[in-house]
Amino acid sequence: MQRCSCLFDFLPYFVKEFSDTLYKKIIFLRHHTSLECMSLLELHQVSKRLGKTSASGRNFQLLIPTFSLERASELVIVGASGSGKTTLLNLIAGIITPDEGVIRLNGTDISQLSEAKRDRFRAMHIGYVHQTFNLLQGLTALENVLAAAMFTGGSKLARDSKERAMMLLTRLGLEKNIHQRPRELSVGEQQRVAVARALVNAPALILADEPTASVDADNAREVIETMKSLASSDGASILTITHDRAVHEMFAHSIAISDIVQQA
């Protein structure tokens, strides 16, 4: 982890005797100054056994020596199907846990959290656009977006959450579809609802798993550009995985999955 060397590291020793209140304020500032100098996301020596068998008869295992993502950045990870891209995203999201290693988001090692705490942390800090969208079929478009706020503990189910949901759906061209259920929407419209749901809690990190796999090229570009614009407005980072060269070219920075994940 990269730390900031700054005056805040030394001031407490000089002022503690004079003012406990000032000391506490400096400790607060030092903590948050260091946090700003950290990467948003850091993985160190992560390994995950997947329970599969390779051609040699050995257990299939993913190894991630080190990986980081900066704040307010965008990155697309490119690789073929079966190369470990979705497993990587699921590890980062805390949907699955590593057998070893550290996965730190915003200073929190999510691999050390209980399942319930991981679920709440994910709801508050991570937006996930799944390849299959995972919309709730009995809810309207608006209700699907608002449902994401429930998992933060209920505090998000307020007027500002509904206003943000409406803003997101409008920006994504769905203002006339808010009361329609998923089966009444086209595949492209369902994808936009999934994007709005991922963004409603203003997460620090947005994960997107093959986000354009089910839509045509024109819709894909429009949704990706809108998602990037909304994330930029919130100061969020986007981490996308794809095997599609066209999606690859929509992002400023890219990396091959083979440069992150080793298979053993």
Side-chain angles (χ1 to χ4, degrees):
M1 180 189 307
Q2 184 179 2
R3 294 183 56 85
C4 291
S5 177
C6 59
L7 186 60
F8 291 129
D9 287 328
F10 302 99
L11 277 176
Y13 301 98
F14 295 104
V15 303
K16 186 175 182 182
E17 295 181 6
F18 299 98
S19 171
D20 287 339
T21 300
L22 181 59
Y23 173 70
K24 290 176 181 177
K25 288 182 178 179
I26 290 173
I27 290 296
F28 175 86
L29 288 171
R30 182 174 65 181
H31 168 75
H32 284 273
T33 300
S34 296
L35 189 63
E36 288 302 314
C37 295
M38 291 163 49
S39 298
L40 172 67
L41 173 68
E42 298 174 317
L43 280 70
H44 297 290
Q45 301 302 322
V46 171
S47 67
K48 180 65 179 179
R49 288 179 292 275
L50 300 177
K52 298 180 180 179
T53 302
S54 66
S56 63
R58 297 180 299 175
N59 288 331
F60 187 71
Q61 184 178 24
L62 290 185
L63 305 173
I64 306 165
T66 184
F67 174 73
S68 65
L69 183 70
E70 300 307 311
R71 298 174 187 277
S73 64
E74 61 179 59
L75 178 69
V76 60
I77 300 174
V78 183
S81 298
S83 58
K85 302 189 304 299
T86 297
T87 300
L88 173 61
L89 286 200
N90 287 340
L91 284 165
I92 292 169
I95 295 172
I96 58 175
T97 55
D99 298 313
E100 296 178 350
V102 173
I103 302 174
R104 188 178 291 112
L105 177 65
N106 253 347
T108 296
D109 183 356
I110 62 175
S111 61
Q112 298 302 309
L113 300 177
S114 67
E115 183 176 359
K117 288 183 178 179
R118 285 201 315 274
D119 289 344
R120 181 152 189 226
F121 185 88
R122 184 187 315 120
M124 295 178 68
H125 300 283
I126 300 172
Y128 203 142
V129 182
H130 296 268
Q131 183 174 353
T132 55
F133 310 145
N134 290 359
L135 300 179
L136 300 174
Q137 296 300 314
L139 301 183
T140 66
L142 178 60
E143 290 167 345
N144 263 283
V145 176
L146 288 174
M150 295 175 60
F151 296 99
T152 65
S155 61
K156 292 279 187 178
L157 287 178
R159 181 177 178 181
D160 59 343
S161 291
K162 187 171 183 178
E163 290 179 351
R164 179 169 172 83
M166 288 294 299
M167 178 275 290
L168 292 169
L169 289 168
T170 299
R171 285 284 304 273
L172 288 159
L174 294 173
E175 63 273 17
K176 296 181 180 179
N177 306 96
I178 62 171
H179 298 303
Q180 292 182 312
R181 288 174 169 75
R183 64 178 176 273
E184 301 170 310
L185 300 171
S186 68
V187 173
E189 289 167 341
Q190 291 180 48
Q191 180 202 41
R192 292 164 192 259
V193 175
V195 170
R197 181 185 57 189
L199 293 168
V200 70
N201 291 328
L205 175 63
I206 300 162
L207 304 176
D209 183 355
E210 301 281 4
T212 62
S214 301
V215 297
D216 60 73
D218 289 340
N219 273 314
R221 178 168 294 278
E222 184 176 352
V223 170
I224 291 292
E225 292 302 330
T226 303
M227 182 172 68
K228 288 170 55 177
S229 175
L230 290 165
S232 178
S233 298
D234 290 339
S237 296
I238 300 179
L239 182 61
T240 302
I241 61 172
T242 189
H243 67 275
D244 188 341
R245 184 73 185 180
V247 175
H248 175 191
E249 294 173 351
M250 296 179 198
F251 288 85
H253 305 287
S254 65
I255 188 171
I257 187 66
S258 58
D259 291 331
I260 302 172
V261 172
Q262 300 173 8
Q263 298 182 2

